[in-house]
Amino acid sequence: MSDDHRDLHERIRAFWDEDARIYDRAPGHAVSHPAEAAAWRATLRRLLPPPGAAVLDAGAGTGAMSLLAAELGYRVTALDLSPGMLAEARRKALERGLALEAVVGPADRPPPGPFDAVIERHLLWTLPDPVGALAAWRRAASAGRLVVLEGNWSGRDVAARARHGAAATVRRLAGRHDPHGGHHGEYEPELTAALPLASGMSVDAAVDAVVRAGWRAVRIERLRDVEWAARGAAPSRLLGWLETVPRFAVVADA
Ligand SMILES: C[S@@+](CC[C@H](N)C(=O)[O-])C[C@H]1O[C@@H](n2cnc3c(N)ncnc32)[C@H](O)[C@@H]1O
């Protein structure tokens, strides 16, 4: 583990080990709705090199992207700090008869590879040094591609907070409690303060980190199909509208 961030990593690992029990129950996490899964499959197939390529999924969690990529024929290594999250990914891979190499460790110390591509979804916000991790992935895929899958999570934005609050109220009134949004749903403020991207993710922030890490030919894509499918997968139109954020990919070459 990276000595610089040992304490932060320990706290983050404990959070996700605890969250592993309920992570897949929250909207959009496990991608179990057929149309949502189909939209993500199309995204991976479009943005990654052809199937058969070796793909590192950094911060793979319970394997949402890893499993879809394995299903598409990629050779996937799932890297995560949390053994609890990875155990869920392994269990689901076994159930589905998919090959998955799971590695416990911090994102800034990836296995040496070489990988043809590195993907991440919803990891950058929780890294103590996102640029350092992105640079490490470039070395592990030195002739490969980066695919960053993110959403506009504007933590400090008043409108976004209002939407989030309204969605929680609608869920409560409809008796549809979001298990991930309970007491274990957020980091302590002082942990958040130590993570450069935790207070809000945006296209600008993601592109800036990717460029600073030395990736080349950086391009972006809005993931409208993923948004569309997520709205359709929500329990009601109102919740679909309140909970679906703009989604985007940042793609780059090593
Ligand atoms: C929001 S979850 C995203 C999981 C998965 N990528 C997905 O799309 O569902 C963040 C994941 O990042 C992992 N994580 C947090 N910090 C990490 C780090 N420094 N190195 C590797 N994994 C980390 C957590 O254990 C958790 O599984």
Side-chain angles (χ1 to χ4, degrees), residues 220-244:
I220 57 173
E221 222 182 81
R222 175 93 181 250
L223 303 180
R224 288 195 186 277
D225 287 354
V226 170
E227 294 166 20
W228 179 42
R231 275 195 298 275
S236 72
R237 276 185 172 214
L238 179 58
L239 274 173
W241 179 75
L242 288 170
E243 289 180 340
T244 305

Side-chain angles (χ1 to χ4, degrees), residues 46-96:
R46 188 173 69 248
L47 300 180
L48 284 173
V55 174
L56 174 69
D57 183 7
T62 57
M65 293 299 110
S66 293
L67 296 172
L68 291 176
E71 203 189 300
L72 288 170
Y74 293 99
R75 291 177 288 126
V76 182
T77 302
L79 170 68
D80 203 283
L81 202 50
S82 156
M85 294 291 274
L86 273 187
E88 287 297 307
R90 271 203 206 93
R91 182 184 59 73
K92 290 190 282 181
L94 206 67
E95 264 173 25
R96 298 178 200 180

